[in-house]
Amino acid sequence: MASIGTNGYFKGFYNGSIYNGDLKRICVPGLNCYSCPGALGSCPIGSLQLIISDVKYKFSFYVVGFLTLIGVLLGRFVCGWLCPFGLIEELLYKIPSPKLKVSKKFQKLKYLKYFILVIFVILLPMFWVNDMGIGFPTFCKYICPVGTLEGGIPLVILNKSLRTIVGFIFAWKVTLLIIVIILSIIIFRPFCRFICPLGAIYSLFNPISVYRLDIDSSKCTECGICAKKCKLDIEVYKNPNSLECIRCGECIDNCPNNAIKRNLF
């Protein structure tokens, strides 16, 4: 429902246009491309890059305040339940195929999303500027597979004029998208785990968010079933509000002692 709600401009898919009404001034909680023909709101990461690239001239407390508010209230619940690309990854993972479990050695790749956040969302838009002193939305332009899937490919298909001007960058981003899609079939949510800068931001709020998971120590036997069922390899009974937890609820549903609870702190 969240995916439909944030991409409800169905006319855009029909005529290959982008909605530019007043709702586009409002950020949506999940990662959803501004240029998607159905997008009614703005992507918070795209908006953040925009205000950072122009930070010499103005600072938007709205975008930073919005991300902080959503983070404090929900943390990575957004990743689990409100992000359209997260839904796409879940559906891809349901395709019958051999599944790979990320080993402890490769779990360190989770820090890559923080590197991408700092370099491609903050520093490059701030310091890599044109002659007018305006920066570039480098994450959107060079990495974001969400923008390629939701915005780039539909607009190129629907607009003949765009097909004549696509070049290396578009081909590069389609290649990245294909890689993410293949990985999503065999690994649970690789983009969320290793790449997404929005997930990196929300993860910082997981330990303090209003919506949180709590362990009832009087019921928990540390049987480890929650950890075995967690597709993100979190030892829930030790760290129920891990930075990586997307609040999917698998641990709650599978705890034999009902020791894990959703709470409002």
Side-chain angles (χ1 to χ4, degrees):
M1 291 300 294
S3 299
I4 295 174
T6 54
N7 292 290
Y9 185 65
F10 303 115
K11 181 181 178 181
F13 291 107
Y14 177 75
N15 58 24
S17 63
I18 299 174
Y19 172 74
N20 289 306
D22 291 339
L23 290 176
K24 268 290 173 71
R25 300 178 183 179
I26 303 173
C27 288
V28 297
L31 199 68
N32 195 72
C33 185
Y34 179 99
S35 297
C36 174
L40 292 170
S42 293
C43 173
I45 288 297
S47 299
L48 184 61
Q49 289 173 96
L50 180 64
I51 61 117
I52 287 175
S53 68
D54 201 21
V55 73
K56 293 181 180 179
Y57 306 103
K58 60 183 179 181
F59 180 80
S60 174
F61 289 98
Y62 164 68
V63 177
V64 176
F66 175 82
L67 289 169
T68 302
L69 175 63
I70 298 299
V72 168
L73 290 177
L74 299 174
R76 294 199 72 180
F77 175 90
V78 175
C79 306
W81 296 96
L82 301 179
C83 182
F85 198 71
L87 171 62
I88 292 171
E89 287 183 282
E90 293 261 359
L91 296 175
L92 288 170
Y93 191 72
K94 291 181 182 295
I95 296 175
S97 70
K99 305 300 180 184
L100 295 181
K101 188 176 180 64
V102 180
S103 67
K104 289 186 177 181
K105 180 194 297 186
F106 289 102
Q107 283 182 21
K108 293 181 180 180
L109 286 172
K110 66 186 179 182
Y111 298 112
L112 177 61
K113 60 181 174 287
Y114 301 100
F115 174 84
I116 290 173
L117 170 64
V118 172
I119 301 299
F120 286 90
V121 177
I122 298 175
L123 294 182
L124 285 178
M126 186 180 295
F127 295 109
W128 185 21
V129 299
N130 59 22
D131 294 337
M132 299 179 64
I134 305 299
F136 301 93
T138 46
F139 175 75
C140 295
K141 187 174 181 178
Y142 297 110
I143 297 178
C144 187
V146 182
T148 308
L149 179 63
E150 296 180 353
I153 291 176
L155 289 176
V156 168
I157 291 174
L158 296 170
N159 291 274
K160 185 177 180 180
S161 60
L162 290 178
R163 286 175 236 156
T164 62
I165 61 174
V166 294
F168 172 77
I169 292 178
F170 182 74
W172 161 253
K173 291 191 64 182
V174 169
T175 302
L176 288 181
L177 173 63
I178 292 172
I179 293 172
V180 169
I181 288 174
I182 293 172
L183 289 176
S184 297
I185 294 173
I186 58 177
I187 299 173
F188 184 73
R189 286 185 176 235
F191 178 77
C192 300
R193 298 174 75 168
F194 308 129
I195 301 174
C196 182
L198 185 59
I201 293 173
Y202 287 147
S203 73
L204 302 177
F205 294 95
N206 256 12
I208 62 170
S209 62
V210 173
Y211 181 93
R212 58 194 293 105
L213 301 184
D214 286 332
I215 304 294
D216 187 337
S217 58
S218 66
K219 294 182 178 180
C220 180
T221 61
E222 298 189 0
C223 63
I225 290 177
C226 56
K228 292 177 183 177
K229 292 294 182 179
C230 179
K231 295 186 179 73
L232 294 174
D233 305 308
I234 299 168
E235 293 182 309
V236 184
Y237 64 96
K238 292 182 180 179
N239 187 11
N241 295 294
S242 163
L243 301 187
E244 301 306 306
C245 178
I246 60 172
R247 317 302 202 203
C248 69
E250 288 282 338
C251 57
I252 298 173
D253 295 338
N254 287 280
C255 178
N257 301 307
N258 296 317
I260 310 171
K261 302 293 182 183
R262 299 180 178 93
N263 281 323
L264 295 177
F265 179 69

